[in-house]
Amino acid sequence: MTKLTLDNVTVHYEGQPQPAVVDTSLSVASGEFVVLTGRSGCGKTSLLNVAAGLVAPAGGRASVNGLPIAEPGADRAVVFQNDALFPWLTVRDNVAFALRMRGVPEAERRDRSDAVLTQVKLEGYGDRRIWELSGGMRQRVGLARALAAEPDFLLMDEPLGALDALTRERMQTLLLDIWAASGVGVLMVTHGIEEALLLATTVFVMAPGPGRIVKRIEADFGRRYAAGEPVRSIKADAVFVLARAELADAIFEGELA
Amino acid sequence: MTLTTGRELPITGLRPTGEPVAVWIGDADPTQDQSNQLRLRPPVSARTVSFITVAALLLAWSLAAHLQLVSPVFLPSQYAVAAKLVSVAQNGFVDATLLQHLAASLGRVFAALVVALAVGIPVGIAIGVSVVGRGIFDPILEFLRPIPPLAYLPLVIIWFGIGEPSKILVIAIAMIAPIALSAASGVRGVSQERVNAARALGASRAQVIRHVILPSSLPSILTGLRIALGAGWTTLVAAELIAATRGLGFMIQSAAQFLVTDVVIMGIFVIAGVAFVLEFVIRRLEAALVPWAGRD
């Protein structure tokens, strides 16, 4: 059981008059699916980047099991919105990237990346080039690349933001399948209200000016899906509809209509 | 012919009958682009004009030589030049066949290219990734870049003698700046998100350079290589000015001393031809090595 903790974190970019995030705390443990949502400019991505070790907090503390986060590491693999894949590598070599950095031998890299590709339903695509794939497939390669690192935490910055609505729905259930099967802790940033609610075990609503957490909502819809309930029936459930309204209110609260 | 819209009128009206519609370079379909509505399709393509220009020049040369408007000493006929190509290829000129001269020159240019790549790529990467690297190498490159090779040739000879290393060095100096500057610009263009992705997958700083920055800047480095080969080939004649016994530049200069103008002209055409072939080879190399360039 590992736990990623942000304690009273403040993010202040050089040259900015106001901090991006102020005095914010949250934690993600193995098996949890924590979603950060809120309007643009509320510091969701900044917070995720602190957890990733890509941004150093100006105040507060980021740690994993008590050890401070000083730099990025494969224990906290990141999935980016614009997939950030390496076009000079094949799909398989993209997925095997973290293993290669660790010096895992070629044959083992191949087996393990093919297994992860099967997990994201891309079996047989290992030898393809990145530019031959659709947006949804590329995002699945990005996910597979992060999973192949066998991270304790999966940090995802609007991973489905650039996808069309149908692909997005399919990716949501795929994410839930993988999360339930692997037991990783997930920290995800999204603009999608329904998406946040469906996936999360905990939703943090952030508000801008300066960025901070304004509401925390516990949910279990993802666990219900993992237990076998169809997404359609979950989304039609009155509990889901009410929670959705509550979440939307929290996001838009304080904003002039 | 029935014209259905007013927009097509001026365009169709200018098409020369019976000829395929000329394509304006850079415009796929003028009817798709509003800004092109008032621009008319040119009646001929640039390629046709180029072809006519070359043909006219050759004809003028042929006429001038045939009618003896200019003495053959200054302007030999195309046949004399072509015959010389065959005879130098078979029997040689100044103690070496055309192939040997060509091999000597290509050998120098490629040896210089290896040196220039070995120096230029690391220097370019250093400029791109580190402030200290930029501070050290930027002034040196900016100093070297505009100097014509003929200007530093004497100094290179004073320092390194008149042997083969000096010739290679002169060509290499001309090649280093374009390669280093292209590599540096490639490095600066690397997507920060890809670097972050690699770091979050456990890559060290050295691994990020090797596995992300280097391949990312490869398209740019290859562009630099193309410019560098052009620069190197241009420097060749200068490098072969002193104490060469073989090489295309040496061949031309020897021929000029004896006023063997047909060899001079033949040599110029061979140099131009080789440059053309090299350009073609590098474009193929780009397609093979960086097929992703411009596609992501």
Side-chain angles (χ1 to χ4, degrees), chain A residues 23 138 140 185 191 205 215 243 246 256:
Chain A
D23 206 13
R138 289 174 67 130
R140 276 185 277 161
H191 277 115
V205 179
K215 193 173 180 70
E246 186 195 2
L256 295 172

Side-chain angles (χ1 to χ4, degrees), chain A residues 112-162:
Chain A
R112 282 167 67 179
S113 43
D114 281 354
V116 181
L117 279 171
T118 306
Q119 237 185 315
V120 300
K121 303 193 168 70
L122 280 176
E123 56 267 55
Y125 282 89
D127 293 314
R128 295 291 194 91
R129 309 304 304 227
I130 298 305
W131 65 81
E132 297 173 334
L133 306 182
S134 69
M137 287 171 155
R138 289 174 67 130
Q139 209 46 268
R140 276 185 277 161
V141 177
L143 180 60
R145 183 177 66 173
L147 287 172
E150 295 182 337
D152 297 322
F153 299 96
L154 208 48
L155 311 179
M156 299 193 278
D157 189 3
E158 294 186 46
L160 315 183

Side-chain angles (χ1 to χ4, degrees), chain A residues 2-15:
Chain A
T2 37
K3 190 167 184 176
L4 190 159
T5 313
L6 304 183
D7 280 321
N8 306 102
V9 163
T10 295
V11 179
H12 200 153
Y13 295 109
E14 219 173 297

Side-chain angles (χ1 to χ4, degrees), chain B:
Chain B
M1 180 161 49
T2 322
L3 298 169
T4 47
T5 70
R7 193 177 62 182
E8 278 178 345
L9 189 60
I11 296 163
T12 334
L14 270 188
R15 280 178 192 166
T17 46
E19 262 195 30
V21 176
V23 178
W24 210 338
I25 292 170
D27 300 343
D29 180 5
T31 57
Q32 293 291 307
D33 187 346
Q34 296 289 311
S35 65
N36 275 333
Q37 271 193 30
L38 294 176
R39 285 163 62 186
L40 306 178
R41 270 174 197 265
V44 291
S45 72
R47 191 178 286 240
T48 313
V49 176
S50 300
F51 181 78
I52 294 169
T53 307
V54 171
L57 285 172
L58 285 175
L59 187 70
W61 176 10
S62 191
L63 279 174
H66 187 70
L67 300 173
Q68 302 251 327
L69 295 177
V70 184
S71 154
V73 175
F74 296 111
L75 189 68
S77 72
Q78 282 121 329
Y79 314 105
V81 171
K84 213 59 183 185
L85 180 74
V86 175
S87 100
V88 175
Q90 284 170 351
N91 310 321
F93 183 79
V94 283
D95 300 326
T97 64
L98 184 60
L99 205 61
Q100 286 169 324
H101 285 305
L102 182 62
S105 291
L106 279 176
R108 281 174 196 133
V109 169
F110 281 107
L113 182 65
V114 171
V115 173
L117 287 173
V119 176
I121 293 176
V123 165
I125 290 176
I127 292 173
V129 300
S130 121
V131 178
V132 177
R134 191 165 76 221
I136 294 172
F137 294 116
D138 239 12
I140 300 177
L141 282 181
E142 289 305 322
F143 173 75
L144 278 180
R145 202 166 51 90
I147 304 177
L150 273 174
Y152 51 74
L153 177 66
L155 187 63
V156 170
I157 288 167
I158 292 171
W159 284 354
F160 300 100
I162 54 171
E164 200 64 17
S166 290
K167 298 181 185 68
I168 292 169
L169 189 61
V170 167
I171 302 173
I173 291 172
M175 287 177 156
I176 286 172
I179 289 175
L181 294 175
S182 305
S185 100
V187 170
R188 277 194 285 265
V190 171
S191 125
Q192 187 58 44
E193 217 171 36
R194 285 199 182 122
V195 171
N196 285 345
R199 296 217 302 148
L201 291 165
S204 66
R205 193 174 154 85
Q207 283 176 320
V208 167
I209 291 177
R210 160 75 186 80
H211 294 285
V212 180
I213 291 177
L214 196 58
S216 280
S217 34
L218 197 54
S220 184
I221 291 174
L222 282 173
T223 304
L225 189 144
R226 202 166 71 216
I227 299 167
L229 263 185
W233 205 234
T234 314
T235 312
L236 182 73
V237 179
E240 290 175 351
L241 263 174
I242 312 278
T245 53
R246 263 178 204 177
L248 293 172
F250 164 72
M251 184 185 84
I252 291 175
Q253 286 162 53
S254 309
Q257 276 164 15
F258 303 116
L259 227 62
V260 190
T261 316
D262 42 10
V263 172
V264 174
I265 294 179
M266 182 271 281
I268 290 171
F269 275 106
V270 171
I271 289 179
V274 173
F276 183 81
V277 171
L278 286 179
E279 175 85 16
F280 177 77
V281 168
I282 291 176
R283 284 186 189 276
R284 294 297 297 268
L285 198 67
E286 282 178 334
L289 281 180
V290 293
W292 72 85
R295 280 206 244 200
D296 59 311

